[in-house]
Amino acid sequence: MFKGFAALSMGFMGGSSPLPPKLREIAILRVGHLSNAAYEVFQHEALARHVGLSEAEIDAVRKGGAAAVALGEAGAAVLAYTEDLVKNVRASDATLSAVRAHLNDTQLVDLTLVAGMYMMVSRFLETTGVEIDDAPIDWKQVTPAKKS
């Protein structure tokens, strides 16, 4: 099962997802923060930098709420949608409508799947007690940087 779990995760990272990497990382980081998943946040802050998120944008994801303005309209909508999924399982109609203004149907499906996947990853990491590495993964070796 773990091989399938890892393959699903890498499906989002390998460039086959139409969801822009910056938006993907906003979602993953928000899931990590809301789940109190230190390992997840540590590794994905490094990946967020790799795909072009600034320190101010990473801080905005960490803080959520009004800080989301630093992410631009699409990023703020993704952040709100992700938070709604984590906290309420089903995003509200208003949150869904706001994110639909920026994503097509395929991207929205991928956003929903990536948020769910990383809720599972966060819970797996925290439950099994995976310790934070001395250094983050060298994402240049794992996934191409796409600045979209």
Side-chain angles (χ1 to χ4, degrees), residues 67-87:
V69 69
L71 301 170
E73 288 183 24
V78 164
L79 188 84
Y81 179 78
T82 302
E83 188 161 325
D84 210 357
L85 287 177
V86 172
K87 291 182 175 181

Side-chain angles (χ1 to χ4, degrees), residues 35-137:
S35 301
N36 297 311
Y39 183 92
E40 190 64 34
V41 169
F42 175 72
Q43 292 295 349
H44 280 273
E45 282 185 351
L47 182 50
R49 290 180 192 98
H50 175 64
V51 300
L53 285 172
S54 69
E55 293 303 319
E57 290 169 320
I58 291 169
D59 189 54
V61 174
R62 184 180 302 116
K63 292 177 180 172
V69 69
L71 301 170
E73 288 183 24
V78 164
L79 188 84
Y81 179 78
T82 302
E83 188 161 325
D84 210 357
L85 287 177
V86 172
K87 291 182 175 181
N88 303 309
V89 179
R90 182 193 183 280
S92 71
D93 291 342
T95 305
L96 179 59
S97 178
V99 81
R100 280 188 170 280
H102 302 282
L103 301 179
N104 65 37
D105 289 345
T106 305
Q107 291 169 322
L108 180 60
V109 166
D110 276 21
L111 174 60
T112 305
L113 289 173
V114 82
M117 172 70 192
Y118 282 89
M119 283 188 269
M120 183 170 54
V121 169
S122 293
R123 281 142 185 84
F124 174 80
L125 293 169
E126 289 303 306
T127 298
T128 59
V130 174
E131 295 180 14
I132 295 177
D133 301 314
D134 292 334
I137 294 168

